[in-house]
Amino acid sequence: MKKITLAATVAAIVVAATAYASPYYALRQIKTALAERNADALAAHVDFPALRASVKAQLEAGMARSIEATAGRDNPFAALGQSIAGAMLGKMVDAMVSPAGVVALVNKSAVSPQADANGDAPADGAQDKADYSAAYAGINKFVVRARDGRQEGALVLQRHGIWTWKLSGIELAPAVAGQ
């Protein structure tokens, strides 16, 4: 009887530990796919409908702030322009949030696992590395934040089952989101 209780306890601990560590493993797989620019491997770890909604909402909010700051709230032409731009934005986001588009989007964000690709290294030759933090934001949500001094962003992973996590949101850097 003691062996069964011990085995059950060990099994429960192993299941709990692997469930807790599963977003870190998924993040490693996503990082590997990005580093290799493997869109197919990345697609297996992305919830594209949720990611499209996340990106679209951020870009629409940034566009609304920009139009309001330039044209004001009471301008009927601004509202017309915003509705036309919103329709175009939706089509652009649908095209951009594809496996290849996600590779490009994350590589331009602060959460990129690679060095700065545009060559904006500091004058002394040192390269700023992004400061990463990863933590649970609930039982089914895991957030990876990055800040590299100039911009910040985040990847949001949602649980799909017990051990599977998928990228469901990107908190765009303010420069990218139009903030």
Side-chain angles (χ1 to χ4, degrees):
M1 187 65 164
K2 287 184 178 182
K3 289 182 181 181
I4 292 173
T5 305
L6 179 63
T9 303
V10 168
I13 290 171
V14 168
V15 167
T18 57
Y20 178 80
S22 62
Y24 294 98
Y25 180 69
L27 191 60
R28 179 181 164 94
Q29 291 176 319
I30 291 170
K31 183 179 176 183
T32 301
L34 286 170
E36 294 172 355
R37 298 196 189 301
N38 186 343
D40 293 332
L42 180 64
H45 300 288
V46 177
D47 179 1
F48 285 103
L51 186 59
R52 282 184 189 102
S54 168
V55 171
K56 200 177 293 188
Q58 290 178 71
L59 292 177
E60 285 174 349
M63 181 180 64
R65 278 191 301 276
S66 175
I67 288 174
E68 185 178 315
T70 352
R73 291 180 192 226
D74 299 329
N75 188 337
F77 293 113
L80 176 66
Q82 184 172 358
S83 66
I84 293 171
M88 290 181 1
L89 182 68
K91 301 267 189 230
M92 289 186 334
V93 168
D94 291 343
M96 180 177 62
V97 181
S98 64
V102 170
V103 170
L105 184 64
V106 173
N107 283 335
K108 294 217 182 291
S109 177
V111 293
S112 172
Q114 300 161 352
D116 192 6
N118 62 8
D120 289 343
D124 63 358
Q127 188 112 34
D128 289 338
K129 285 200 161 203
D131 179 29
Y132 292 93
S133 65
Y136 278 90
I139 293 175
N140 296 321
K141 186 175 182 180
F142 190 79
V143 179
V144 180
R145 297 210 178 276
R147 181 180 316 215
D148 72 353
R150 297 178 311 245
Q151 59 185 352
E152 63 182 79
L155 299 177
V156 179
L157 284 76
Q158 292 285 338
R159 184 186 302 268
H160 289 260
I162 296 176
W163 290 283
T164 306
W165 291 81
K166 290 194 174 192
L167 178 65
S168 63
I170 295 178
E171 294 176 12
L172 299 170
V176 176
Q179 297 174 356

